[in-house]
Amino acid sequence: MEGWTLLKGMGLGLAIAVPVGPIGLLCIRRSLTQGQLMGLATGLGAATADGIYGSIAGFGLTAVADLLVSHTQTMQLIGGLFLCYLGLTTLRADPATEAAKLSSRGLWGAYVSTLFLTLTNPATILSFIAIFAGLGLVGTSQSWGTSLALIVGVFLGSALWWLCLSWGVTLFSQKLTPSRLKWLNRLAGAAIFGFGVVAIALTVRG
């Protein structure tokens, strides 16, 4: 039972992580300019946030869910501002001429910043609640072991996607010239900044 639930959770984690958004662009950019480990650390931050929101939905922590949803606008505004900052930083960044020196602080910073950015999007928890409820994965009769297997599966599925993405992008990094990397920085930066502007606009209109 738990084994099948774990597989279900992995499928859900993959489905939620695969669509390319600001986090995906950030992972791609960091993988290209700072290496696979930095890209993976970025993805694991998002996977951890998915696991946290998935646990809230899976364990039925309605009080926490209500608190997050009630502060949606504030969190969305903070996330939008952070995305704009990241977008501008990426736009202004020069292509790396050599591999970045990895440090535990750098990897931890990439992980924490992405965890924070993903957690500032409370709409994610609504997606988990809707999907879990639609598939009959939420209920008072569900055991803690089953719920835990589901949450672990969500994290593993999401982490698997970020591993594949960072690894795949790194494979093609050697084919990118400095001029192409410069244009990639501009495109990624503009897109990330655009996501931030949209988030802020939606907050102001709401």
Side-chain angles (χ1 to χ4, degrees), residues 9-194:
M10 290 183 68
L12 290 175
L14 278 169
I16 291 173
V18 166
V20 177
I23 303 300
L25 290 173
L26 190 61
C27 178
I28 291 171
R29 196 250 171 185
R30 284 178 175 173
S31 297
L32 287 172
T33 59
Q34 298 175 277
Q36 181 184 353
L37 284 178
M38 191 65 75
L40 180 58
T42 298
L44 288 178
T48 302
D50 287 344
I52 292 173
Y53 276 154
S55 66
I56 294 173
F59 286 117
L61 304 178
T62 55
V64 179
D66 290 342
L67 177 64
L68 290 171
V69 173
S70 66
H71 291 83
T72 294
Q73 289 189 333
T74 301
M75 296 176 70
Q76 190 172 22
L77 178 60
I78 294 173
L81 292 171
F82 191 41
L83 282 174
C84 287
Y85 166 75
L86 287 176
L88 290 174
T89 302
T90 303
L91 271 169
R92 298 174 59 185
D94 292 324
T97 56
E98 59 182 12
K101 295 181 180 179
L102 292 178
S103 65
S104 58
R105 181 179 179 182
L107 292 173
W108 180 248
Y111 172 84
V112 171
S113 64
T114 314
L115 172 63
F116 165 79
L117 185 57
T118 309
L119 287 176
T120 57
N121 182 19
T124 305
I125 191 175
L126 298 179
S127 300
F128 275 109
I129 292 174
I131 293 173
F132 281 21
L135 295 177
L137 299 175
V138 178
T140 55
S141 61
Q142 184 167 275
S143 69
W144 277 72
T146 301
S147 296
L148 182 60
L150 185 65
I151 304 315
V152 172
V154 167
F155 172 79
L156 291 178
S158 182
L160 177 62
W161 164 249
W162 297 114
L163 173 63
C164 292
L165 181 62
S166 60
W167 176 74
V169 168
T170 305
L171 283 180
F172 293 99
S173 62
Q174 295 180 348
K175 298 181 180 180
L176 294 173
T177 62
S179 61
R180 289 177 178 175
L181 278 174
K182 187 173 183 179
W183 277 107
L184 180 65
N185 277 351
R186 291 176 177 176
L187 290 173
I192 293 172
F193 184 81

